[in-house]
Every structure is written in structure tokens, then in C-alpha cells.
């Protein structure tokens, strides 16, 4: 769930922003003062903050500076279109993006979406580094050999795999690849780390060319284009979708 905090003292604009961002994957919270925002941040975590440079006369730039010293929250600032000097200060203080008023809601949503994807990728890569260091990340318990995911049944003990009740025939190496991916859902697995882990599990020496082809074949066999994702130039991951 993406969590967005809007700091805006104009009630009509605040409501408009909340309506624009609210969907099944996003939770939006709004407040009208920096003081209220500080209180919220004591007890809740957010992925992105959308705020005015100045709210009710309070110094939004000082708040931004404090915020960036103590957290990794992405901040998109709405600034007056006639004050380039303030915009320069805002960006130097650590804002991740800045839009001048009046702004287009679609453009703002695109900027916020970019920040969310950026943070998600940074999180994936951090977990990927942990995978390289210890051989596994924060995935499923490796003792759990039957995994159920949205119509998929992966029974690693009995080497039986199915999608929507239809059996899928996988080779031993494909099974090893699948197991690593699903046990580390949401973690971008770098090619070199994935190859090292597969060598340990299968005792087979593979190269990146073979790995790329194997991932494509596994994706086709499982009809898993929505799950097996490529991060170009880096590696692969099984997308951690909400199970239904």
C-alpha cells in the first residue's frame, strides 16, 4: 500500500488532491499545518509527502530540511510560480521534486508515481544486496515447500506445479529457479547472485545467457508475465502482489 501525506491549508485543493490520489493501492492522509504533519510523522510512516513551500505562514523549507535529515521520505513541493529563488532553495534543502502553481494534476500524479517507483526500486536493491551477502533475503520460510500464490500451486517436495489447476511441467533447474524467485518475492535478484545460488542448489554451472533464456521460458510456461519481472541490466524478481 502506497501512503501519501498531503500538507495543504487550502481545503478545496486538499480535497481535490486527496480525490486524485486515492485508489485501491494508495492511502492518502491530509493535514493543514506543519505542526499537525509533525505529529502524524511521530506515529505513521509515509512514502511521499506533497506540501506547499509555506503553510499558514509556517516555514515549510525549515520543515523540509528537518525532515530530510531524519528520514528517507520523498517530498514533492508545490511552490509559487513567481518565486524562482524559493524553488532553488527548496531543491537545495532536499526536495525530491518541485512543481510551480498552478499545476496540472496529471503532471503531479506522474511526478509522485516516479518517486514511489524510485523508492520501491531502492528498497528492492537494498534487499538484493542482502541476498548477495547471505544467500537469501526476507522471503518465504525455506522449510515451507508448498507455496500458494493467486492460483499457482508450487509443491517442491513432490515436484508438482500448477496454474489455475492446470499442471505445468518444469525441469529440475527451472524448479530451482522458481523456488529462489518465490522464496524472495519482491526482491530484485542480481544475475550474478542468482547464478551463484543456483549453482549451490543444482550443482550446475550456468551463465547469464542461459539464465536469461531460462527466465523467459519459465515465464512462458507459468504464464507469469505479471509476476516474473525483469529489471534491465540488473536481474529478476517475482512481484509481491496482494494475494486474492
Amino acid at each position: 500500500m502506497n501512503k501519501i501525506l498531503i500538507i495543504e491549508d487550502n481545503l478545496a485543493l486538499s480535497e481535490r488532491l486527496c480525490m486524485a490520489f486515492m485508489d485501491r493501492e494508495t492511502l492518502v492522509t491530509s493535514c493543514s499545518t506543519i505542526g499537525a504533519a509533525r505529529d502524524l510523522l511521530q506515529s505513521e510512516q509515509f512514502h511521499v509527502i506533497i506540501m506547499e513551500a509555506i503553510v499558514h505562514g509556517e516555514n515549510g523549507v525549515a520543515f523540509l530540511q528537518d525532515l530530510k535529515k531524519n528520514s528517507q521520505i520523498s517530498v514533492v513541493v508545490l511552490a509559487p510560480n513567481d518565486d524562482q529563488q524559493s524553488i532553488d532553495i527548496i531543491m537545495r534543502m532536499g526536495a525530491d521534486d518541485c512543481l510551480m502553481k498552478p499545476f496540472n494534476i496529471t503532471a503531479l500524479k506522474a511526478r509522485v508515481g516516479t518517486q514511489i517507483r524510485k523508492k520501491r526500486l531502492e528498497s528492492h536493491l537494498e534487499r538484493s544486496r542482502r541476498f548477495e551477502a547471505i544467500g537469501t533475503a526476507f522471503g518465504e520460510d525455506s522449510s515451507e515447500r508448498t507455496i500458494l500464490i493467486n492460483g499457482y500451486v508450487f509443491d517442491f517436495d513432490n515436484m508438482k506445479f500448477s496454474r489455475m489447476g492446470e499442471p505445468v511441467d518444469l525441469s529440475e533447474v527451472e524448479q530451482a529457479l522458481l523456488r529462489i524467485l518465490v522464496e524472495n518475492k519482491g526482491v530484485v535478484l542480481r544475475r550474478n547472485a542468482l547464478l551463484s545460488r543456483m549453482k549451490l542448489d543444482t550443482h550446475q554451472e550456468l551463465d547469464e545467457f542461459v539464465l536469461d533464456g531460462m527466465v523467459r521460458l519459465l515465464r512462458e510456461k507459468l504464464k507469469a508475465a505479471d509476476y516474473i519481472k525483469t529489471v534491465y541490466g540488473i536481474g529478476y524478481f517475482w512481484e509481491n502482489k496482494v494475494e486474492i
Side-chain angles (χ1 to χ4, degrees):
M1 177 70 73
N2 302 318
K3 296 183 67 176
I4 296 174
L5 174 61
I6 296 171
I7 310 173
E8 171 59 60
D9 61 352
N10 182 309
L11 180 59
L13 178 55
S14 179
E15 290 179 348
R16 183 182 173 203
L17 292 174
C18 287
M19 291 296 294
F21 283 97
M22 185 73 74
D23 59 37
R24 61 184 299 180
E25 296 182 352
T26 307
L27 178 64
V28 183
T29 303
S30 66
C31 56
S32 60
T33 67
I34 287 174
R38 288 185 186 277
D39 291 341
L40 273 172
L41 290 167
Q42 293 295 318
S43 58
E44 296 190 44
Q45 294 183 337
F46 296 92
H47 297 96
V48 178
I49 292 176
I50 302 170
M51 60 173 288
E52 282 196 280
I54 296 176
V55 181
H56 273 325
E58 298 174 87
N59 190 339
V61 174
F63 169 70
L64 171 63
Q65 193 171 21
D66 290 343
L67 184 67
K68 300 305 284 189
K69 283 181 181 178
N70 299 301
S71 76
Q72 298 299 315
I73 301 173
S74 293
V75 181
V76 178
V77 177
L78 308 177
N81 63 1
D82 59 350
D83 192 353
Q84 185 61 46
Q85 184 177 6
S86 292
I87 294 173
D88 293 340
I89 293 172
I90 289 164
M91 296 304 292
R92 288 201 301 272
M93 292 300 100
D96 296 275
D97 208 338
C98 186
L99 272 74
M100 294 184 294
K101 290 184 174 182
F103 56 87
N104 181 281
I105 287 288
T106 301
L108 177 59
K109 291 182 70 175
R111 302 285 187 93
V112 171
T114 295
Q115 294 303 320
I116 289 173
R117 289 190 296 273
K118 178 182 174 182
K119 290 299 181 184
R120 186 178 296 138
L121 179 58
E122 289 174 354
S123 176
H124 286 337
L125 292 177
E126 174 59 29
R127 296 174 74 184
S128 175
R129 285 189 285 271
R130 292 176 181 264
F131 176 90
E132 289 187 82
I134 63 176
T136 187
F138 300 106
E140 308 288 344
D141 181 349
S142 60
S143 65
E144 182 184 353
R145 300 300 297 273
T146 300
I147 297 175
L148 309 178
I149 304 174
N150 283 6
Y152 290 101
V153 178
F154 302 141
D155 183 350
F156 291 99
D157 278 336
N158 296 301
M159 295 184 292
K160 292 182 179 180
F161 307 89
S162 64
R163 175 186 178 275
M164 301 300 180
E166 294 293 325
V168 179
D169 184 34
L170 299 179
S171 69
E172 180 181 347
V173 179
E174 290 168 344
Q175 292 176 36
L177 173 60
L178 175 63
R179 180 185 172 194
I180 296 168
L181 289 171
V182 298
E183 285 182 351
N184 294 281
K185 289 186 296 185
V187 181
V188 177
L189 305 180
R190 296 175 185 268
R191 284 185 174 87
N192 60 342
L194 191 50
L195 286 168
S196 297
R197 172 66 182 273
M198 289 189 67
K199 182 179 180 180
L200 287 174
D201 289 355
T202 67
H203 308 290
Q204 296 190 38
E205 192 78 45
L206 305 173
D207 59 29
E208 290 192 4
F209 180 78
V210 172
L211 175 64
D212 292 345
M214 187 178 302
V215 169
R216 287 194 296 271
L217 183 58
L218 183 63
R219 187 186 286 130
E220 291 172 5
K221 283 187 173 184
L222 293 171
K223 295 182 174 61
D226 290 338
Y227 289 90
I228 300 176
K229 300 292 188 178
T230 301
V231 180
Y232 292 99
I234 299 176
Y236 302 97
F237 69 101
W238 184 283
E239 185 162 359
N240 191 14
K241 291 180 176 289
V242 175
E243 296 183 18
I244 58 175

